[in-house]
């Protein structure tokens, strides 16, 4: 099986040196990614495309990977044959793949030809079209509105029969646009903002401000791992967790109630600035959208920005909530966001919507900044690819390896269950429904939660414990 990869159009309009650098970056990214699937898979670079060669039995994972790799605009699935300049052989190979598809339908043949041949693209199209018409049971040729388009690509002496095509992620190759630190809460906005940054080819690290929930931290780690593994796994990134409980306590002590929300955001930005400085990163990303909540008016956002000299990007600034949620559906983070435990640090009464720069500076002066400095000093940093080991090592909720009298609950997504069914007798409750459904179960029994890596089961077991359910643990087979 061969895949032909078309570059994101913005890559192709760059100057020659920059275009070469970007296509080489994408090539290296893909080599790294497909190598984790199988070392047999090969990637070859051309000036206007890439080609990926893989065994037929690896078609599905490679196709999935190509569809979510930044820098790829379109992917063609092809079968290639050495046909030389033999029109009859070209027609016969086309017939193998298209005779069934054109049965009872109108069709047209489209040919792209590269190299030196004794015929033109139009000659191939007419010859193949005639052959398919004579050998098949089509409804005829329609040059303008065909029901089926027969797509052929002749590159030198190789015929590529295009059996399928699909749209890629677009954007620039990961690693070619610098690095950012994304403020991650695990909700709809921060996850979508991080995804859009990755799609643009930006190496995106995560910073999380823990307002007091162990389950919340596990959940944010899980969705960060999901985003990284799906869209930016060609590069290693970090996850930073900053303990913010003491910061919230100091806000409650020092800040005027109308400024508490703005102060919390300003202090998060100040902390993120310090961490970004340690990581030699110049840019922060947040998931804020104009006027979505009281702290996100234009004036308030300007006052929040003034807390830092770093560039702050807001990919969602002019998006509305339905648009953001639609992207979350598309990228698979909606279920994570909906099941994320909420820990609200401060709630302002009569929150200010037209904050004053001068007043914000006075509020800063009342806040003991040593509290913020201690929080940053106590921050924990791990590589995102180490999250599974980190969560399982901490084991906030007890892990058992053998099911005895407990009721086993599989909390994975339906597609995960189908791919890797659980042999043991169990209940099936998707993790995004567990919070509502668990209370309906008989509470005189003990329950074990199961997921593939143990992260989501730890999250939801901890969340249920926080709600007062002490009859739940985590199951991980040996």
């Amino acid at each position: 099986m061969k895949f032909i990869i078309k570059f994101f159009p913005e890559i192709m309009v760059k100057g020659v040196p920059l275009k070469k650098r970007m296509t080489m970056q994408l090539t290296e990214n893909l080599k790294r990614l497909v190598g984790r699937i199988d070392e047999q898979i090969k990637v070859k670079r051309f000036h206007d495309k890439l080609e990926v060669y893989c065994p037929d039995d690896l078609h599905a994972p490679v196709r999935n990977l190509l569809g979510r790799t930044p820098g790829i605009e379109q992917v063609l699935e092809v079968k290639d044959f050495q046909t030389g300049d033999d029109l009859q052989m070209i027609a016969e190979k086309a017939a193998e793949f298209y005779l069934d598809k054109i049965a009872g339908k109108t069709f047209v043949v489209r040919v792209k030809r590269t190299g030196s041949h004794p015929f033109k693209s139009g000659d191939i199209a007419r010859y193949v079209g005639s052959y398919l018409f004579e050998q098949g049971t089509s409804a005829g040729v329609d040059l303008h509105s065909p029901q089926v388009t027969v797509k052929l690509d002749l590159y030198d002496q190789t015929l590529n029969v295009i059996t399928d095509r699909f749209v890629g992620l677009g954007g620039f190759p990961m690693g070619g646009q610098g690095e950012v630190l994304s403020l991650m809460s695990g909700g709809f906005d921060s996850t979508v903002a991080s995804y859009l940054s990755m799609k643009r080819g930006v190496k995106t690290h995560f910073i999380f401000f823990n307002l007091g929930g162990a389950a919340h931290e596990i959940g944010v780690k899980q969705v960060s791992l999901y985003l990284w593994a799906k869209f930016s796994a060609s590069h290693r990134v970090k996850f930073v967790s900053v303990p913010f409980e003491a910061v919230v306590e100091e806000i409650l002590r020092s800040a005027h109630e109308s400024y508490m929300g703005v102060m919390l955001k300003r202090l998060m930005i100040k902390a993120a600035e310090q961490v970004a400085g340690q990581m030699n990163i110049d840019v922060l990303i947040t998931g804020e959208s104009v006027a979505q909540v009281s702290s996100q008016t234009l004036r308030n956002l300007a006052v929040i920005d003034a807390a830092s000299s770093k560039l702050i990007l807001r990919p969602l600034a002019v998006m509305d909530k339905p648009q953001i949620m639609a992207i979350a559906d598309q990228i698979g983070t909606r279920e994570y966001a909906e099941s994320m435990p909420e820990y609200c640090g401060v709630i302002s009464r009569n929150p200010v919507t037209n904050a004053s720069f001068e007043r914000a500076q006075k509020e800063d002066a009342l806040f003991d900044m040593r509290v913020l400095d201690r929080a940053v000093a106590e921050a924990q940093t791990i590589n995102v690819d180490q999250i599974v080991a980190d969560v399982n090592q901490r084991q906030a909720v007890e892990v058992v390896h053998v099911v005895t009298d407990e009721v086993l609950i599989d909390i994975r997504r339906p597609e995960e269950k189908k791919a890797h069914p659980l042999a043991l007798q169990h209940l099936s409750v998707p993790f995004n429904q567990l919070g509502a459904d668990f209370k309906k179960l008989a509470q005189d029994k003990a329950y074990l939660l199961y997921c593939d890596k143990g992260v989501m089961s730890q999250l939801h077991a901890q969340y249920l414990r926080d709600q007062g359910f002490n009859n739940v643990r985590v199951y991980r087979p040996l």
Side-chain angles (χ1 to χ4, degrees), residues 122-342:
D123 298 327
I124 303 174
R126 285 188 290 271
Y127 192 97
V128 173
S130 297
Y131 186 85
L132 293 178
F133 181 76
E134 293 171 359
Q135 299 295 319
T137 57
S138 71
V141 174
D142 186 336
L143 299 179
H144 304 291
S145 301
Q147 293 172 285
V148 178
T149 300
V150 177
K151 302 163 187 174
L152 305 177
D153 179 1
L154 186 62
Y155 189 88
D156 290 331
Q157 305 301 303
T158 302
L159 173 69
N160 295 311
V161 179
I162 302 171
T163 59
D164 194 11
R165 68 175 67 210
F166 58 92
V167 176
L169 192 62
F172 292 122
M174 180 60 61
Q177 304 301 316
E179 303 182 31
V180 299
L181 184 60
S182 179
L183 279 67
M184 172 66 81
S185 70
F188 284 101
D189 300 340
S190 61
T191 53
V192 171
S194 298
Y195 156 73
L196 292 174
S197 171
M198 296 173 185
K199 179 180 177 181
R200 201 63 180 170
V202 178
K203 187 176 176 181
T204 304
H205 304 270
F206 306 99
I207 184 168
F208 165 66
F209 296 98
N210 195 333
L211 303 180
H216 192 182
E217 179 172 342
I218 296 172
V220 177
K221 284 180 175 178
Q222 168 69 12
V223 75
S224 299
L225 174 63
Y226 172 85
L227 285 169
W228 170 80
K230 189 162 187 177
F231 301 111
S232 69
S234 58
H235 289 70
R236 211 173 199 188
V237 303
K238 297 187 180 299
F239 182 95
V240 183
S241 180
V242 184
F244 237 51
E245 300 97 322
V247 174
V248 170
E249 291 176 7
E250 179 63 13
I251 291 174
L252 293 172
R253 183 199 67 79
S254 66
H256 187 276
E257 61 183 20
S258 65
Y259 269 75
M260 286 181 175
V262 169
M263 279 299 295
L264 178 62
K265 293 294 183 67
R266 280 174 60 88
L267 291 165
M268 286 179 173
I269 291 296
K270 285 178 179 290
E273 179 183 44
Q274 290 188 44
V275 173
Q278 296 167 6
M279 299 172 67
N280 198 29
I281 292 175
D282 299 321
V283 183
L284 306 178
I285 279 186
T286 81
E288 291 159 316
S289 174
V290 173
Q292 189 176 114
V293 296
S294 60
S295 66
Q296 296 176 10
T297 63
L298 287 177
R299 168 56 70 88
N300 285 1
L301 291 175
V303 170
I304 291 168
D305 278 10
S308 171
S309 61
K310 297 285 186 185
L311 172 63
I312 301 176
L313 298 180
R314 294 184 172 90
L316 313 185
V318 294
M319 288 188 185
D320 56 39
K321 200 66 175 185
Q323 290 175 301
I324 296 168
M325 293 175 72
I327 296 175
D329 279 331
Q330 171 193 336
I331 64 176
T333 59
R334 180 179 187 129
E335 292 169 334
Y336 294 100
E338 289 179 336
S339 63
M340 196 68 62
E342 289 291 341

Side-chain angles (χ1 to χ4, degrees), residues 41 69 162 166 255-256 409 464:
I41 304 171
T69 300
I162 302 171
F166 58 92
H256 187 276
I409 303 177
L464 290 171

